[in-house]
Amino acid sequence: MQKTFSLNTEPHVANIGEHQLLFEPEVFGDEFMDAYAELRESQQAKGVDLENLADADTDDLRRTMRAVRVFLARNMLAESAEFFTRLDVVQGGKVLESFQDFDEASEFAGQHDGARVVDALRLPSRVIVELLEWVVELFGGGNRPTIPSSGSATASPRAGRRSTGVSPSKASTRTRGR
């Protein structure tokens, strides 16, 4: 018996508005798990729940969303990753400087009155979270990877064979004359 396995060779494409982000055609499981574990560690260290962003501290949320971007970028082709993680320091509507590192960008912004750090590709949080879910589905086999965490895990499927039982309405005795 022989089985042939094919590998994806074309990048996965995420169309976001006028932009296209190109993701790796295939990602090795250990690389994906390492990147996902780093994301979870960062998220837990800040105490941010991606399912409930409303309760998060603004600075912690900003750093967590940055960690999500870095995770996503690790699964992108280089040009898309660079663009997706680029930070611009903006003052009065003008880009003063661009960075890849949040701390460096923040330090530079602190040296210029009224300057702030913004993502080069500004996206609503919901789009970032949707991208995260899509990438996990693509490269994680459709499920969030199971890694040690303080959070509760989803229930395992029940053991045994799935079958359909007899419906109580069909099992009941028919009434004559109806």
Side-chain angles (χ1 to χ4, degrees), residues 119-160:
D119 291 300
L121 178 59
R122 297 185 70 196
L123 297 172
S125 296
R126 70 170 177 79
V127 173
I128 302 287
V129 172
E130 287 177 39
L131 267 174
L132 174 63
E133 291 170 351
W134 181 65
V135 166
V136 168
E137 185 177 319
L138 277 176
F139 302 126
N143 297 315
R144 289 187 182 189
T146 52
I147 57 174
S149 72
S150 60
S152 60
T154 57
S156 299
R158 293 183 181 210

Side-chain angles (χ1 to χ4, degrees), residues 156-164:
S156 299
R158 293 183 181 210
R161 229 176 81 193
R162 294 183 94 190
S163 66
T164 55

Side-chain angles (χ1 to χ4, degrees), residues 2-67:
Q2 185 176 1
K3 175 119 175 117
T4 302
F5 296 89
S6 62
L7 296 175
N8 292 325
T9 57
E10 294 295 317
H12 299 282
V13 179
N15 293 306
I16 303 172
E18 62 188 39
H19 302 284
Q20 279 192 336
L21 298 174
L22 301 178
F23 287 80
E24 294 285 347
E26 295 283 354
V27 173
F28 294 104
D30 57 340
E31 291 172 4
F32 178 79
M33 290 300 296
D34 290 346
Y36 191 80
E38 286 176 26
L39 171 62
R40 294 289 298 165
E41 287 170 13
S42 171
Q43 175 187 351
Q44 289 174 348
K46 300 289 181 223
V48 175
D49 177 8
L50 290 176
E51 307 287 328
N52 183 14
L53 299 177
D55 294 339
D57 174 73
T58 305
D59 288 335
D60 290 343
L61 180 58
R62 186 172 284 120
R63 288 188 181 276
T64 298
M65 292 310 285
R66 182 70 187 162

Side-chain angles (χ1 to χ4, degrees), residues 64-124:
T64 298
M65 292 310 285
R66 182 70 187 162
V68 171
R69 279 183 180 261
V70 169
F71 166 78
L72 291 169
R74 287 178 68 174
N75 296 288
M76 291 179 189
L77 297 181
E79 188 175 312
S80 289
E82 185 177 322
F83 173 62
F84 189 68
T85 57
R86 191 180 83 213
L87 297 162
D88 293 333
V89 175
V90 178
Q91 181 185 46
K94 180 183 173 198
V95 175
L96 300 179
E97 191 79 39
S98 295
F99 296 87
Q100 292 300 126
D101 181 81
F102 183 76
D103 292 330
E104 289 176 12
S106 294
E107 182 180 331
F108 184 83
Q111 298 169 4
H112 297 83
D113 288 336
R116 62 189 183 106
V117 178
V118 297
D119 291 300
L121 178 59
R122 297 185 70 196
L123 297 172

